[in-house]
Amino acid sequence: MIDLAAVEQGLALLFSSFAPWMVVVPGIVIGLIFGATPGLQISMAMAIFLPMTLYMDFVQAMLFLTAIFTGGSFGSGIPAILMNIPGTSSAIATAFDGYPMARQGKHNQALGVALASSVIGVLMGYLILFVMIQPLSFMVLKLGPAEMFAIILWGMTLIASLRGEQMLKGLMAGFVGMLVGTIGFNELGMARGTMGQTYLLDGVPVIPAMMGMFAASELFKLANKGYIVESEASRKVRIGEIFQGFKMAVTYPWVLIRGGLIGVFVGAVPGVGSSVSNLLSYVETQRRDEDPSSFGKGNPKGVVASESANSTSEAGSMATLLALGIPGGGATAVMLAAFAMHNITGGPQFIRQQTDVVYAIIFANFAQVFLLMVIGLLFIPLLANIVKVPMRYLIPSVLVLAVMGSFGLTGNMTGPATVLIFAVVGWLLRHYGYSVPAAVIGMLLGAMAEKSLLHSYQISGGDLAYVFERPVTMIILALLLVSLFGQRLVGWFRNRQRVASA
């Protein structure tokens, strides 16, 4: 399974000169800055710096891009914890418990937990990739559009179940989010949901909408507060507490392992990646916990689950890229462009012919893990000072940041208008007890679900028997039913046993 001769050649590629390592630290810093700035995506950073890789050899170029990817994976969790603004969609679940921890004055611990989970997640992901790259690529080939659609539906039901007894409200919010996500032209070139408005033909920009629903609507709630953290004593930045949080993450080994496994396998599915893996990991951790009601109120396990999954999904998406030549998301799509710029084609032939390069990339990422830990610890004390900023300065600053970031994403006033409209929508959802995360995830997955459904329809010719002939699809649908009705069935059986024994 592991080619030892290629391993030796890969190590020689890395250590024959210092040149490949010169780009790693700048890459991690760039990733941290872009990931920590709401509205600036990791893929955007990689695309901006992609032309620079023309002047590098292939291994150096891949090290530079993966360093940006690694730094951005952790960086996106920083605004999620401090301001309830996920820097990217991969850090949505980090905000669920990271921000409540910050509100309780535990921002230092939360950032330490996030850093440790990211570091361990990246390490675990590339270890799994090192051992499993060939079996993983075989498994991904088995997933067709029908399986993808089933996975998306399953993910939606899991997200809806975050609302516990209010699952119906969660499902409704998710369904509405999916409808919003399908506005505009579809794969067949048909426009739907535009209500005749030409500016909706390209669909609703999801990231500005997410900023509005998560961040701006939350700011409405905080308008009368003095600081994010009310207690002056709790606003202090303490290095000791950051290390305390770092150690705290290690005390949840099963949450880390579960998040890592979910991250690798979901990250390996093209088009799904870290946006879904962090949520699936969070939901699974909550469902298996002895005190699920503590989630969403500042439980550090929620941060561990999210950050470990979104960090390991990097390795999963790299597996798909290296083994099949298929990008798992925006970041790996940029890497595929780097492949083309260096006249290299990813896929099974690349694995067979340049196994040493694959191992070199994996080993380089092991080293990046330790550099991320050091650089992250240097950055965190600077960033944690944000809780000392009065809300009268923070609210307008965050709004300006969100508006400018959304303008940068769309290139016109559509982005800022979307932020403001969805800020109101988010406030209404919160006010009436509907799940904002479920609505946001619905928007993220809506277009993806429609695309998979259309492809399944085209392949099957509309014959429903096609679904029943695919065992993997049936297994995923069975898991979906369990997530919808499992708890109720367990409760029903327990009640029957209690009545019978009385």
Side-chain angles (χ1 to χ4, degrees):
M1 192 179 289
I2 298 172
D3 186 344
L4 293 177
V7 167
E8 193 177 335
Q9 290 166 1
L11 289 171
L13 272 176
L14 283 178
F15 295 105
S16 56
S17 78
F18 191 66
W21 299 100
M22 290 176 65
V23 297
V24 172
V25 172
I28 291 176
V29 173
I30 291 168
L32 276 170
I33 293 171
F34 273 73
T37 308
L40 302 184
Q41 298 288 298
I42 303 169
S43 53
M44 186 192 294
M46 292 168 73
I48 289 171
F49 289 93
L50 179 64
M52 285 179 63
T53 61
L54 265 177
Y55 304 99
M56 306 173 187
D57 63 42
F58 180 67
V59 173
Q60 195 180 26
M62 292 308 295
L63 259 60
F64 181 56
L65 293 174
T66 54
I68 295 176
F69 201 167
T70 302
S73 296
F74 165 62
S76 60
I78 295 172
I81 290 169
L82 295 178
M83 295 182 282
N84 201 26
I85 306 175
T88 66
S89 55
S90 64
I92 289 175
T94 306
F96 294 168
D97 280 289
Y99 183 64
M101 283 181 77
R103 294 289 312 275
Q104 294 162 17
K106 297 177 183 173
H107 48 284
N108 296 305
Q109 290 98 324
L111 289 167
V113 168
L115 177 61
S117 306
S118 290
V119 165
I120 295 168
V122 175
L123 183 64
M124 195 190 313
Y126 278 96
L127 273 173
I128 295 171
L129 180 61
F130 176 61
V131 178
M132 298 282 292
I133 184 164
Q134 293 183 355
L136 265 178
S137 54
F138 175 77
M139 285 171 61
V140 170
L141 274 177
K142 296 289 181 189
L143 296 177
E147 287 77 20
M148 291 286 293
F149 182 68
I151 287 173
I152 291 167
L153 283 185
W154 181 34
M156 282 304 307
T157 56
L158 287 174
I159 303 308
S161 68
L162 281 173
R163 301 293 299 175
E165 293 179 356
Q166 293 184 320
M167 185 187 281
L168 184 59
K169 282 190 170 182
L171 285 172
M172 287 171 68
F175 181 68
V176 171
M178 286 184 89
L179 287 180
V180 174
T182 55
I183 288 175
F185 281 116
N186 69 0
E187 285 278 301
L188 302 177
M190 293 173 62
R192 62 272 187 272
T194 61
M195 295 173 286
Q197 304 296 324
T198 53
Y199 55 83
L200 286 175
L201 288 175
D202 289 333
V204 174
V206 174
I207 302 298
M210 187 176 78
M211 288 178 179
M213 292 179 79
F214 270 130
S217 65
E218 176 69 19
L219 292 176
F220 291 163
K221 276 174 56 185
L222 298 174
N224 296 323
K225 306 276 184 185
Y227 295 86
I228 288 179
V229 181
E230 291 290 349
S231 164
E232 186 177 348
S234 301
R235 287 199 289 271
K236 292 180 180 173
V237 176
R238 296 184 178 92
I239 302 292
E241 289 183 1
I242 294 172
F243 278 104
Q244 199 181 52
F246 199 90
K247 286 190 284 185
M248 191 190 295
V250 188
T251 60
Y252 305 119
W254 291 114
V255 181
L256 281 167
I257 292 170
R258 183 166 52 242
L261 291 174
I262 289 174
V264 166
F265 287 103
V266 176
V269 180
V272 179
S274 56
S275 301
V276 176
S277 65
N278 75 106
L279 289 154
L280 283 179
S281 172
Y282 182 89
V283 173
E284 274 307 300
T285 302
Q286 184 192 25
R287 284 160 61 89
R288 291 171 183 274
D289 197 80
E290 292 176 353
D291 184 16
S293 61
S294 66
F295 282 73
K297 299 172 184 170
N299 190 330
K301 290 181 195 172
V303 180
V304 174
S306 172
E307 287 295 309
S308 59
N310 69 22
S311 298
T312 46
S313 63
E314 175 188 336
S317 58
M318 286 296 291
T320 320
L321 177 70
L322 295 170
L324 304 174
I326 300 171
T332 41
V334 178
M335 287 189 200
L336 191 62
F339 272 58
M341 284 167 60
H342 288 82
N343 292 321
I344 290 174
T345 305
Q349 281 194 347
F350 176 72
I351 292 279
R352 278 198 298 273
Q353 294 170 1
Q354 303 201 44
T355 316
D356 54 340
V357 176
V358 173
Y359 285 132
I361 293 169
I362 292 171
F363 291 140
N365 276 277
F366 290 152
Q368 284 178 21
V369 165
F370 297 101
L371 288 169
L372 173 66
M373 185 168 62
V374 175
I375 297 170
L377 284 171
L378 290 173
F379 262 71
I380 282 178
L382 293 174
L383 294 164
N385 281 301
I386 201 166
V387 294
K388 294 180 180 176
V389 181
M391 293 306 294
R392 65 178 180 277
Y393 300 125
L394 191 62
I395 289 176
S397 304
V398 172
L399 279 176
V400 168
L401 198 64
V403 168
M404 286 180 66
S406 61
F407 184 84
L409 280 169
T410 59
N412 52 41
M413 289 304 293
T414 306
T418 307
V419 170
L420 297 176
I421 290 170
F422 280 87
V424 176
V425 173
W427 181 84
L428 288 171
L429 288 173
R430 288 177 199 275
H431 185 72
Y432 289 103
Y434 287 86
S435 169
V436 170
V440 171
I441 300 306
M443 280 195 292
L444 283 168
L445 298 181
M448 199 188 301
E450 186 192 26
K451 183 180 170 184
S452 301
L453 187 62
L454 280 173
H455 286 180
S456 301
Y457 183 81
Q458 288 170 330
I459 293 169
S460 65
D463 185 1
L464 196 61
Y466 171 77
V467 175
F468 296 105
E469 292 166 358
R470 300 185 71 84
V472 178
T473 310
M474 295 305 296
I475 290 169
I476 298 168
L477 289 175
L479 290 171
L480 184 155
L481 291 173
V482 168
S483 65
L484 272 178
F485 304 109
Q487 283 184 341
R488 289 172 186 271
L489 279 174
V490 170
W492 183 73
F493 277 117
R494 281 180 181 166
N495 281 337
R496 276 181 61 93
Q497 284 178 342
R498 199 177 298 126
V499 170
S501 60

